[in-house]
Amino acid sequence: MRFITTLLTLSFLGATAAQAEMKLTSNDLAAGKPMADAQVFNGFGCSGKNISPQLKWSGAPSGTKSFAIMAYDPDAPTGSGWWHWTVFNLPTNATELATGASGKLPAGAIEGRTDFGSSGYGGACPPEGHGPHRYQFTVYALSVDKLPLDKDAPAAMVGFFARANALDQATIEVTYER
């Protein structure tokens, strides 16, 4: 029994250490802070610049074969949140996306369809007077070279495959309201 307890403890500590290593940082997003107008949507009554934020990640576990990025608003009054950006099939030598990278991704990377109905980054634009919304930017380290999807893949499907193949993930959460 003591042997099994020791193995379970070591296994838990190993998993925790592996998950604690992956980090996501941004020069454009500050965790817990409001999103800048540069990353706000331009349309639906919003007048931001709709520029995808700079994102940089590190600490992917060994065995990582590609990355996926997803931006999500869990507070959107839709019953299922709102997907603002999906990027998948990012090669392992990509560990950063520059500000405004949407539409100019590394070869092989794909931007899926967002809840705005098109591919590419769609910034924050919550309903006016609805209070602060959370925007979660997550990078996933994946165990597969490519997700079996194309640019018309809906965000929920990208999320399903990203989570099913995730070795680790890291998130930055920011807010926005109008």
Side-chain angles (χ1 to χ4, degrees):
M1 182 70 171
R2 186 175 189 174
F3 177 72
I4 292 172
T5 302
T6 302
L7 281 177
L8 289 174
T9 301
L10 289 174
S11 175
F12 174 75
L13 291 174
T16 301
Q19 290 175 352
E21 292 177 13
M22 191 157 181
K23 292 184 179 167
L24 178 61
T25 59
S26 175
N27 294 331
D28 298 320
L29 306 172
K33 302 291 184 188
M35 183 182 290
D37 284 341
Q39 278 71 53
V40 173
F41 193 66
N42 190 343
F44 281 32
C46 291
S47 57
K49 295 182 180 173
N50 202 43
I51 299 172
S52 61
Q54 181 267 351
L55 299 170
K56 183 173 185 174
W57 54 95
S58 61
S62 66
T64 299
K65 294 183 178 176
S66 68
F67 294 102
I69 294 172
M70 302 198 68
Y72 178 68
D73 171 4
D75 303 312
T78 63
S80 60
W82 191 275
W83 294 99
H84 289 265
W85 198 24
T86 66
V87 181
F88 53 96
N89 298 348
L90 278 164
T92 54
N93 64 355
T95 57
E96 180 175 7
L97 293 181
T99 301
S102 179
K104 302 173 248 171
L105 297 173
I110 297 172
E111 293 180 282
R113 214 164 19 100
T114 69
D115 285 341
F116 289 109
S118 59
S119 64
Y121 179 78
C125 188
E128 198 164 353
H130 198 254
H133 282 218
R134 295 168 291 155
Y135 295 87
Q136 300 164 341
F137 291 79
T138 302
V139 61
Y140 295 90
L142 304 178
S143 62
V144 294
D145 292 327
K146 296 186 182 300
L147 297 183
L149 304 169
D150 62 24
K151 65 178 182 58
D152 294 322
M157 189 172 287
V158 177
F160 171 81
F161 279 101
R163 285 176 177 79
N165 294 290
L167 297 171
D168 203 352
Q169 67 187 61
T171 299
I172 295 175
E173 184 177 279
V174 297
T175 63
Y176 185 76
E177 73 176 301
R178 60 186 189 117

